[in-house]
Amino acid sequence: MRTIDWVDGAIELVDQTLLPGECRVVRIGTVDGLIDAIRRLAVRGAPALGVAGALGVALAVATEPDPADAAARLRSARPTAVNLAWGVDQALKCLDGGFGAVLGRALEIRDEDIAACRAMGERGADLVRELTGRDQVRIMTVCNTGGLAAVERGTALGVAQTLHERGQLAEVLALETRPLLQGARLTAWELGRMGAPHRLVVDSAGPFLLARGSADIVLIGADRIAANGDTANKIGSYALALGAHRAGVPFIVVAPESTVDLATPTGSRIEIEDRDPAEVLSVRDVRLAPEGTGVLNPAFDVTPHDLITAIVTERRVIRPGSGEALVAGTI
Ligand code: MRU
């Protein structure tokens, strides 16, 4: 199954807001429809957003009077995952070649994502074995970084999938990931489909379970990696990194090179998306907090590079926690 693709002149994607109850593919034929799907998280996860951005430019060329203006609106539909802007920019570079050239580049980006996720799975699984020294590995993760966050296979969860396929996965502890429950709704669904052993954990239990020795390694994805290795990812990642550091558990970021943003020198410069208070005040329309309650709802946090044991991409393994830089001179 592909999470997102180009089919007969339009984008088709799995509407992730309906999972795990229903796995429905929706067709999107306008840029505004795509922006809406991105904002309401029908399509989400950094690599999938990169592909959506590129395919969206093809839609813009096919349907909009001013494709560049439509692409600019699409580019800023969500601010934190750099892949969205990256995908839009990659496709825009082909604008002079017309629709065929733009779509061709977008389909290339889709195919590159599939290959990158496979490569990260293999490289990440090797690294996990090296760092843990275990034949059967217990992983902790947050949010959803599986195939639903990419095209076919994921990043951090792709590593878990590779370990499972090799017969080396003991268990995944998946944090439920308040407020939108990507861990409970999406990661648990994907692990179930893989037949991979897993248990769901409330977010605040993560650091304590690491202190108790319940996981051998933490694997997360990334929405933007600054030039110095500071990494923005789903809210809760930073707390896990602190817990992992204290417990002496390796903390690994798995992300494609397209998530590395060399134009952003450090994590303090990464824009963090603030989402609708309603996401915190209610769960699926069931009101939790009293009327009038104020809310802060940052969708992401930033983990400083010194807390990151390694960053795994499709091309390399970098160890920021040991002083190794993504780019010479940035640490
Ligand atoms: O708000 P979301 O669901 O788009 O957040 C997604 C994450 O934080 C993922 O961990 C990240 O995009 C990496 S996905 C391989």
Side-chain angles (χ1 to χ4, degrees):
M1 181 185 85
R2 284 190 175 165
T3 299
I4 180 165
D5 208 347
W6 182 267
V7 182
D8 298 333
I11 294 174
E12 289 193 352
L13 54 86
V14 175
D15 184 342
Q16 299 186 35
T17 64
L18 303 174
L19 286 167
E22 186 185 350
C23 183
R24 188 196 298 168
V25 173
V26 292
R27 252 178 101 71
I28 297 190
T30 65
V31 174
D32 285 333
L34 182 59
I35 291 172
D36 176 62
I38 290 171
R39 290 211 174 120
R40 64 187 185 85
L41 271 51
V43 58
R44 48 147 297 282
L49 289 175
V51 176
L55 291 174
V57 178
L59 267 188
V61 175
T63 62
E64 294 280 339
D66 184 347
D69 175 70
R73 286 189 288 114
L74 175 61
R75 197 178 186 281
S76 57
R78 289 189 81 190
T80 305
V82 70
N83 304 64
L84 176 60
W86 175 85
V88 168
D89 292 346
Q90 289 289 314
L92 274 178
K93 281 183 193 164
C94 302
L95 206 53
D96 288 348
F99 174 77
V102 170
L103 180 62
R105 179 64 188 123
L107 296 179
E108 238 170 56
I109 288 172
R110 173 201 66 190
D111 294 344
E112 285 164 9
D113 177 76
I114 294 169
C117 286
R118 277 213 170 267
M120 285 183 277
E122 296 295 329
R123 180 166 286 125
D126 292 346
L127 180 73
V128 166
R129 296 293 306 288
E130 175 199 318
L131 291 173
T132 63
R134 287 186 173 265
D135 291 332
Q136 290 291 316
V137 186
R138 299 165 305 158
I139 291 169
M140 184 176 285
T141 192
V142 63
C143 198
N144 171 265
T145 60
L148 289 169
V151 178
E152 281 185 3
R153 288 166 83 93
T155 59
L157 207 64
V159 173
Q161 185 173 356
T162 303
L163 286 165
H164 179 54
E165 288 163 359
R166 292 182 184 178
Q168 295 165 345
L169 180 70
E171 178 177 44
V172 177
L173 292 180
L175 267 59
E176 60 176 353
T177 319
R178 279 280 291 149
L180 294 178
L181 300 169
Q182 288 93 331
R185 294 188 303 104
L186 308 177
T187 300
W189 184 77
E190 287 201 66
L191 287 165
R193 275 165 57 106
M194 279 177 220
H198 62 282
R199 284 184 284 178
L200 193 60
V201 169
V202 298
D203 298 335
S204 45
F208 174 66
L209 289 172
L210 292 175
R212 278 275 167 105
S214 301
D216 306 308
I217 197 158
V218 178
L219 298 178
I220 67 161
D223 289 89
R224 188 181 298 241
I225 302 174
N228 74 340
D230 294 351
T231 294
N233 190 53
K234 180 53 59 190
I235 192 76
S237 301
Y238 177 42
L240 268 191
L242 289 169
H245 185 69
R246 169 84 188 202
V249 172
F251 185 88
I252 311 300
V253 173
V254 186
E257 292 284 341
S258 52
T259 304
V260 176
D261 177 17
L262 297 180
T264 298
T266 68
S268 62
R269 303 278 288 276
I270 297 175
E271 183 181 347
I272 299 297
E273 178 182 9
D274 274 316
R275 289 189 60 87
D276 190 344
E279 294 177 352
V280 177
L281 293 168
S282 305
V283 172
R284 296 238 155 138
D285 297 331
V286 177
R287 177 92 190 183
L288 301 175
E291 290 296 335
T293 303
V295 168
L296 265 181
N297 186 16
F300 303 96
D301 58 27
V302 177
T303 299
H305 63 267
D306 56 288
L307 293 179
I308 298 170
T309 312
I311 297 172
V312 178
T313 78
E314 67 275 34
R315 286 216 316 263
R316 50 191 175 148
V317 174
I318 308 107
R319 303 185 192 229
S322 312
E324 192 182 355
L326 279 161
V327 183
T330 51
I331 295 187

